[in-house]
Amino acid sequence: MQTLPASRAAVISRLRAAGCVFAEEECGLLAEAAGTQEELDVLVERRVSGLPLEHILGWAAFCGLRIALDPGVFVPRRRTEFLVRQAALLVQPSGQADDAGRKAAVVVDLCCGSGAVGVAIAALAGRLELHASDVDKAAVTCARRNVLPLGGAVHEGDLYEALPERLRGRIDVLAVNAPYVPSAGIRNMPQEARLHEPRVSLDGGADGLDVQRRVAAAAPQWLAPGGHVLMETSRQQAAQTVGLFTVNGLTARVARSEELDATVVIGTAVPGAAAAGRAAAGSPA
């Protein structure tokens, strides 16, 4: 709908007073989503009460795409676009050849939330075999809305337990935006995250690295030879994340975007890494 100048000014004022930094932009998006002034008033009220804009709109802007988003599902952050770009650069063909002799890379979006990371990698890298997984049922339902139309698959379960066994040793790019906020730091997060996103998508345990440890320990068993695992982390935790990769037999390097304030650690499988990963996990080599 088109808002009258007086109405627009009032909406912007309310949004700004509620702490919305981009009040003008949000006003336009809410007005676009509303059919009537009454509907706009309801949407604005929901926003000033603290509900994330993306949950109100039903979509999130990410890597130039509109990602369908359901209430209670983790909202993809702009900083994670750096993870996507780094992953897309590493996508290399492998697996089963198609009729034209081309091979699709196997890409997995682990801890996928809405599936935004996997969908955006596919948009940048082209044809691939895409899988996504999450432990949260609401996230899996949402991710299927985004991933299935691309021909991908979404699995529900705890990290690698969700993945089909046939992917073991075949993953070319494993993109992981696992929770890495220390438990004690959750209380310092913005209200819209603390109250409206699942804690399982935010809380990384006492030091923020609990999920990262589990991902790193089993990654060598699931990666193809020369395959890569990319993990978003913080600048302060990057050295520890590198250590988690190297102790499990992966080579590791840190990629950094100052523009997005984003840090990604990239691990690469080397010969013998799968055996090292199994030994670290306590399973037979």
Side-chain angles (χ1 to χ4, degrees):
M1 63 166 287
Q2 293 294 324
T3 55
L4 297 174
S7 174
R8 176 179 173 83
V11 169
I12 291 172
S13 179
R14 287 199 68 195
L15 293 172
R16 188 175 289 123
C20 300
V21 177
F22 303 104
E24 293 85 353
E25 180 181 344
E26 291 197 14
C27 173
L29 291 170
L30 292 171
E32 178 185 328
T36 65
Q37 182 64 50
E38 289 73 21
E39 289 179 5
L40 177 60
D41 292 340
V42 171
L43 297 183
V44 171
E45 184 60 37
R46 297 176 69 195
R47 180 64 180 127
V48 300
S49 72
L51 197 68
L53 176 68
E54 294 82 0
H55 288 165
I56 297 170
L57 298 175
W59 57 270
F62 186 73
C63 288
L65 305 171
R66 284 193 174 188
I67 303 295
L69 197 69
D70 296 330
V73 176
F74 179 79
V75 178
R77 275 48 164 180
R78 185 164 178 260
R79 74 169 67 92
T80 307
E81 294 182 2
F82 182 65
L83 170 68
V84 168
R85 294 201 297 265
Q86 293 297 307
L89 291 173
L90 295 171
V91 172
Q92 297 292 331
S94 69
Q96 296 293 323
D98 64 13
D99 293 339
R102 297 167 300 188
K103 298 179 180 180
V106 177
V107 174
V108 172
D109 178 2
L110 204 64
C111 304
C112 70
S114 64
V117 168
V119 168
I121 293 172
L124 287 176
R127 179 178 173 270
L128 48 81
E129 180 183 338
L130 176 61
H131 295 264
S133 71
D134 203 286
V135 71
D136 182 68
K137 184 178 293 291
V140 169
T141 299
C142 181
R144 284 178 175 148
R145 295 173 57 199
N146 293 307
V147 173
L148 298 189
L150 302 180
V154 182
H155 315 283
E156 181 181 346
D158 185 21
L159 299 180
Y160 301 101
E161 293 177 8
L163 300 180
E165 183 63 25
R166 63 183 177 82
L167 294 183
R168 187 182 293 270
R170 290 187 54 233
I171 298 173
D172 297 295
V173 172
L174 178 63
V176 191
N177 185 17
Y180 55 89
V181 179
S183 300
I186 299 295
R187 63 176 178 266
N188 300 320
M189 296 188 70
Q191 175 178 305
E192 58 189 54
R194 284 187 288 107
L195 299 183
H196 299 287
E197 293 180 314
R199 189 170 179 113
V200 70
S201 68
L202 305 173
D203 193 340
D207 63 356
L209 302 174
D210 282 1
V211 182
Q212 291 192 8
R213 287 188 181 92
R214 296 176 58 210
V215 171
Q221 304 170 48
W222 290 87
L223 292 176
H228 308 280
V229 53
L230 298 92
M231 187 108 67
E232 179 174 300
T233 191
S234 69
R235 184 197 294 263
Q236 294 78 15
Q237 294 165 312
Q240 293 169 283
T241 305
V242 166
L244 294 177
F245 282 3
T246 57
V247 77
N248 286 289
L250 303 170
T251 63
R253 62 183 175 90
V254 179
R256 174 78 189 161
S257 168
E258 297 299 332
E259 175 193 359
L260 296 177
D261 188 25
T263 303
V264 172
V265 176
I266 302 170
T268 302
V270 294
R278 285 192 293 269
S283 57

